[in-house]
Amino acid sequence: MAGRLEGRVAIVTGAGRGIGRGEALLLAEEGAKVVVNDLGGSEAGEGADASPADQVVTEIVAAGGEAVANYDSVATMEGGERIVQTALDNFGRLDILINNAGILRDRMVFNMTEAEWDSVIAVHLKGHFTTTKHASIVFRQQRSGRIVNTGSESGLGNMGQANYAAAKEGIVGLTRTLALDLGRYGVTANAIRPRAGTRLTLSPELREAMQRARASRQGGDSGGGSGDTGAEQAMSGMDAQAPEMVAPLVVYLCTDAASNVNGRDFVVGGDEVSLMTMPTKQATIHREGGWDLASLERVFPRVIGAEVTNPAPPQPPTTR
């Protein structure tokens, strides 16, 4: 049944390619009018090109939908405001915000520059705030709205991606807080951790980071530190997973049927949709009067420490 979003207006950032493109096309297929935002930069966020956003708009219009392009960067407050204003100026309202724009600048943390850190945080984490800030004003006034943010399983830890992982897990924390701030106004905010073959996941930089991670784990230890991390296992199978397969869950979260789904994050890709657990206490120790160092040395290893393994145990130095 098409038309689930008839009469609604959506923004998709980073919609010129990959996951964002699939989201924009399916939103339009379901009747939404779409602002297709894309700066058109490289994987590292360099340069600009209007053609990716324009091409998606052309596809939507050719299929009988309505869409307009926007080329602003999400990394500035002015850009975020203009993206939201594009929806209001062209369609008179805003109902859905899909934050998807992102870049990669992978580097081992001891080699990472301040510019590489700042640029990734700006596009991903700040970029989610710049659009959400302005969209939330509209949503609060009309007492309705849907926000879907884009996290990553890399946020659970992935070697060579300190900037990206920090930004992505920050987005999940932001999402949980948005749900609390805006839920009373009829707004939902959820996050996805997509698995799909895109320009970012198939980049040489990410491949190199994954190879380093696997190499560091060869030999492992008896405590369970060997093997790929969850993020690496997820990414290793991304090549065959089309980015368009992420869109159905995203669009579902924007429908009335998902009005009670708020503040959660999901893994989605290929044939899988998984609800992630909220962080919980795994093990707890109590001591009347508080803990001193000697008491911790005695009790910690037997209780909390028994549940802890090192995901990256020390390796012998390499010889040349």
Side-chain angles (χ1 to χ4, degrees):
M1 180 185 71
R4 294 171 179 85
L5 300 176
E6 199 70 40
R8 300 183 194 180
V9 175
I11 291 170
V12 184
T13 69
R17 304 179 177 94
I19 293 171
R21 173 182 172 273
E23 293 165 342
L25 292 175
L26 187 56
L27 285 163
E29 183 179 325
E30 290 297 329
K33 301 172 184 178
V34 184
V35 175
V36 178
N37 161 262
D38 204 300
L39 177 66
S42 69
E43 293 92 332
E46 299 166 338
D49 182 2
S51 61
D54 288 342
Q55 183 175 344
V56 175
V57 169
T58 299
E59 289 184 70
I60 291 173
V61 172
E66 294 185 57
V68 295
N70 173 279
Y71 318 109
D72 283 296
S73 169
V74 299
T76 69
M77 294 304 295
E78 296 79 10
E81 184 174 17
R82 285 193 296 267
I83 293 167
V84 171
Q85 196 62 46
T86 298
L88 301 177
D89 289 346
N90 285 273
F91 302 125
R93 62 179 295 121
L94 176 62
D95 303 280
I96 296 164
L97 171 63
I98 311 297
N99 286 308
N100 172 74
I103 64 171
L104 278 181
R105 291 195 177 180
D106 290 349
R107 191 88 62 185
M108 296 295 281
V109 67
F110 39 79
N111 290 326
M112 187 172 290
T113 67
E114 183 179 9
E116 289 167 339
W117 175 273
D118 287 348
S119 61
V120 170
I121 296 295
V123 173
H124 287 276
L125 186 53
K126 183 179 178 182
H128 274 59
F129 171 70
T130 66
T131 53
T132 300
K133 156 73 176 181
H134 298 290
S136 67
I137 296 172
V138 177
F139 292 165
R140 182 184 178 211
Q141 290 172 343
Q142 70 192 21
R143 302 189 72 85
S144 66
R146 297 284 184 269
I147 300 170
V148 182
N149 293 329
T150 306
S152 172
E153 288 178 279
S154 289
L156 306 176
N158 202 34
M159 184 176 288
Q161 291 194 303
N163 48 6
Y164 185 76
K168 286 303 193 182
E169 208 62 9
I171 287 167
V172 176
L174 169 66
T175 301
R176 293 177 181 139
T177 300
L178 293 176
L180 298 176
D181 284 354
L182 301 173
R184 69 186 68 184
Y185 304 108
V187 181
T188 66
N190 294 287
I192 61 166
R193 302 175 189 262
R195 293 178 179 176
T198 69
R199 287 196 310 160
L200 296 192
T201 63
L202 302 180
S203 71
E205 293 82 4
L206 183 54
R207 294 298 181 192
E208 183 180 349
M210 289 170 59
Q211 289 169 1
R212 286 196 301 266
R214 291 194 182 97
S216 75
R217 287 169 171 78
Q218 289 178 355
D221 74 339
S222 59
S226 62
D228 290 353
T229 66
E232 291 157 10
Q233 290 172 349
M235 290 180 181
S236 66
M238 281 183 174
D239 294 13
Q241 300 184 18
E244 293 81 8
M245 299 179 78
V246 173
L249 175 64
V250 172
V251 173
Y252 172 76
L253 292 172
C254 296
T255 66
D256 293 338
S259 61
N260 196 47
V261 183
N262 195 22
R264 305 309 299 265
D265 67 297
F266 303 85
V267 171
V268 55
D271 58 4
E272 177 184 344
V273 174
S274 295
L275 173 66
M276 299 291 284
T277 61
M278 298 284 279
T280 60
K281 296 176 183 177
Q282 183 174 343
T284 304
I285 53 177
H286 294 281
R287 182 175 184 268
E288 186 176 350
W291 289 93
D292 56 46
L293 181 56
S295 299
L296 282 171
E297 285 180 328
R298 185 178 68 257
V299 178
F300 187 102
R302 292 187 289 106
V303 184
I304 293 180
E307 302 293 328
V308 174
T309 59
N310 187 346
Q315 302 293 311
T318 57
T319 57
R320 296 181 181 276

